[in-house]
Amino acid sequence: MHSSEIRYFLAVVNTGSLSAASEQLFVAVSAISRQIQRLETRIGVPLFERHARGMILNEAGQIFENHVRKSLMDMEHAMAEIKGLNAVRRTLIRVACTDGMAFYLLPSLFAGFRQLNPAVTFSLRVLSGKQVAEAVRDGDCDVAFQFSLHPERGVEVISSYAAPVLMVMKNDHPLAGQQVTLNDLSHYPLALPEPGTTVRQLFDLACRMNGTFIEPVLTCNFFSSHYNFLLHSPQAITLCSHFTVMYQAQEQGLMLKTFGVDQLTQRSLQIQAPPGRQRSAALNLFLQFASEQMQLQSEQVRQVFGF
């Protein structure tokens, strides 16, 4: 299709009428009308509902507009890459994640990567697991980090890591030096995420399977609240993956412990990307950097805490 057809189409969409588009483009109304009619003929269906006060996209027009704008965005990305993205200059990487990843891991990865590539910037959105998957499928992010209980459809999994649910407590906690069961947790202040998160789903499942009921003293959808509650509440315990606290567990004198319960091991941390999309040089470098750092840190934490 000719660029003038697309340009006139978007002008009418943005302004809402042929006359307003004419004023914006400094082109005769008749010329714009001919281009719109030619475009509709080529597609085979009308794209607008025509009213006395203007023109409004119909359903077919809305579909066409979405594809046009996506194509223009892809073209802009391609031009940016041609102009210097291979040199990793002036690049924004859009990241989506669930709450645990935003607590410490991703900010640390961003900081480490920017020391090597200071022109790269990041935009981070913290979403629910369902929203993260939707952002990946819709192309609303360049990469996503999220915990998953099953393979996600419509996403490309760049890498995956075992991420069992662990207990986090202080080194001097009464349970720190012994094997712990679910029943043991009922004697201590427990902070848990809200129902619907992977941690809570697996924990509630494990409790049901073991005939155990444990009521948390704190329920919150922000891990930072759990973490600070743990640090300031005597003998408190919270649950998370080692990825969530692996950079500061030793610094803060924390102990990470497994339960030995199968239900709490059925989780992975996935790095995901929209399928079939060309990735920029900067994004490829970040994915490689993040994967290497996560693998290295994960192995160190596992060795230190013996799980």
Side-chain angles (χ1 to χ4, degrees):
M1 295 181 185
H2 300 297
S3 59
S4 58
E5 293 176 353
I6 299 301
R7 185 159 62 96
Y8 294 172
F9 168 78
L10 290 177
V12 174
V13 171
N14 292 334
T15 61
S17 71
L18 291 173
S19 58
S22 172
E23 294 177 2
Q24 182 184 83
L25 298 174
F26 300 100
V27 176
V29 170
S30 59
I32 297 176
S33 179
R34 284 196 301 271
Q35 292 286 8
I36 296 296
Q37 291 174 4
R38 184 179 302 172
L39 178 60
E40 291 177 324
T41 300
R42 291 161 69 88
I43 295 175
V45 295
L47 299 176
F48 292 92
E49 295 178 0
R50 289 160 169 83
H51 303 279
R53 294 185 177 181
M55 298 173 64
I56 302 174
L57 286 174
N58 58 21
E59 186 175 357
Q62 291 173 356
I63 294 173
F64 184 71
E65 181 201 13
N66 290 336
H67 283 281
V68 166
R69 295 195 186 279
K70 184 178 184 301
S71 296
L72 291 175
M73 185 176 297
D74 289 342
M75 186 179 298
E76 290 178 0
H77 289 165
M79 292 174 64
E81 186 163 354
I82 291 171
K83 290 178 180 179
L85 202 52
N86 284 327
V88 193
R89 295 195 293 265
R90 298 183 302 277
T91 307
L92 171 67
I93 297 178
R94 301 172 303 157
V95 184
C97 72
T98 46
D99 176 62
M101 296 295 89
F103 172 64
Y104 205 94
L105 175 63
L106 284 177
S108 298
L109 290 177
F110 296 162
F113 184 75
R114 291 196 73 256
Q115 289 180 359
L116 303 173
N117 303 277
V120 175
T121 58
F122 293 91
S123 171
L124 178 63
R125 297 174 63 201
V126 183
L127 306 168
S128 68
K130 180 180 179 180
Q131 291 172 326
V132 169
E134 290 175 351
V136 177
R137 286 193 289 267
D138 294 342
D140 291 337
C141 65
D142 301 310
V143 61
F145 292 72
Q146 79 156 320
F147 295 108
S148 180
L149 301 179
H150 51 75
E152 290 286 352
R153 294 179 297 175
V155 305
E156 179 184 354
V157 178
I158 305 300
S159 53
S160 180
Y161 309 88
V165 176
L166 304 175
M167 292 171 283
V168 185
M169 61 189 71
K170 294 179 182 178
N171 282 333
D172 59 358
H173 195 282
L175 299 180
Q178 65 184 62
Q179 181 66 41
V180 181
T181 66
L182 286 171
N183 286 325
D184 293 329
L185 300 185
S186 61
H187 305 295
Y188 301 97
L190 180 63
L192 290 179
E194 292 182 341
T197 62
T198 55
V199 167
R200 191 61 183 269
Q201 289 177 36
L202 293 178
F203 181 75
D204 289 347
L205 174 62
C207 287
R208 288 196 300 270
M209 297 290 289
N210 287 271
T212 301
F213 174 78
I214 301 175
E215 184 175 3
V217 301
L218 171 63
T219 301
C220 181
N221 59 342
F222 292 108
F223 181 78
S224 59
S225 297
H226 303 171
Y227 186 76
N228 282 287
F229 176 79
L230 171 69
L231 294 182
H232 297 96
S233 183
Q235 300 186 352
I237 299 173
T238 191
L239 307 182
C240 68
S241 160
H242 63 286
F243 288 103
T244 303
V245 294
M246 65 185 183
Y247 282 101
Q248 71 272 48
Q250 289 181 273
E251 295 178 5
Q252 296 290 340
L254 301 179
M255 172 66 69
L256 305 183
K257 295 182 68 67
T258 61
F259 285 94
V261 178
D262 289 341
Q263 291 86 1
L264 296 172
T265 65
Q266 301 170 8
R267 189 176 73 148
S268 65
L269 169 59
Q270 295 183 355
I271 302 179
Q272 304 171 345
R277 291 189 61 177
Q278 182 71 28
R279 292 196 288 268
S280 69
L283 179 56
N284 281 328
L285 281 177
F286 175 67
L287 291 175
Q288 180 181 356
F289 174 84
S291 297
E292 291 175 353
Q293 289 297 311
M294 290 170 63
Q295 186 67 39
L296 176 63
Q297 293 290 334
S298 179
E299 291 176 355
Q300 291 179 353
V301 170
R302 287 177 177 274
Q303 291 176 1
V304 169
F305 295 103
F307 61 87

